[in-house]
Amino acid sequence: MITVHLFYKGQGGAAKAFAEEMESSGIAGAIRAEEGNLRYEYFQPLHDPETVLLIDSWRDQKAIDAHHASPMMVRLAALREKYDLHMTAERFVAEEMGSDEQYIRK
């Protein structure tokens, strides 16, 4: 599994408005339905109202590449432009849970 944290930053509530339009327009739902998508969720840090975090998880790189080549990316890019958002990203590749398991309360 590959997870990408995308931080969308804007001005005057633009990042939140972008995430809300992604949901209301059906774009986010369509991405969740793509083959290989495991998670696609928006969050907002309590200390930074001008940033929205997208947690985006995929089965593998092939699924991410197919997503990036899809027509959905054109719609998504247009919304980023509409709201004048800037992004940073962090990428994580899952591995087996090690000795930290004892600290996870289930």
Side-chain angles (χ1 to χ4, degrees):
M1 177 176 66
I2 300 169
T3 298
V4 180
H5 289 180
L6 291 166
F7 296 88
Y8 290 97
K9 295 177 184 283
Q11 301 270 333
K16 183 177 180 185
F18 162 80
E20 289 171 346
E21 189 167 344
M22 284 290 293
E23 293 292 346
S24 67
S25 69
I27 296 172
I31 292 170
R32 288 182 190 106
E34 288 184 76
E35 178 68 28
N37 183 266
L38 304 173
R39 184 176 190 188
Y40 195 89
E41 291 185 85
Y42 291 99
F43 299 89
Q44 190 164 38
L46 295 176
H47 70 284
D48 185 359
E50 298 300 337
T51 297
V52 167
L53 165 64
L54 168 63
I55 299 178
D56 191 15
S57 296
W58 297 86
R59 179 186 57 233
D60 53 26
Q61 187 60 49
K62 183 178 174 182
I64 293 172
D65 292 343
H67 167 63
H68 286 158
S70 76
M72 201 59 57
M73 285 302 295
V74 174
R75 293 178 64 196
L76 194 157
L79 278 185
R80 284 194 298 232
E81 286 296 317
K82 174 182 175 179
Y83 290 102
D84 191 26
L85 299 178
H86 300 276
M87 302 160 50
T88 57
E90 300 171 345
R91 182 180 170 103
F92 306 92
V93 178
E95 60 180 52
E96 292 294 318
M97 189 69 122
S99 61
D100 293 338
E101 182 72 27
Q102 67 186 352
Y103 301 105
I104 305 298
R105 184 170 186 226
K106 295 182 181 180

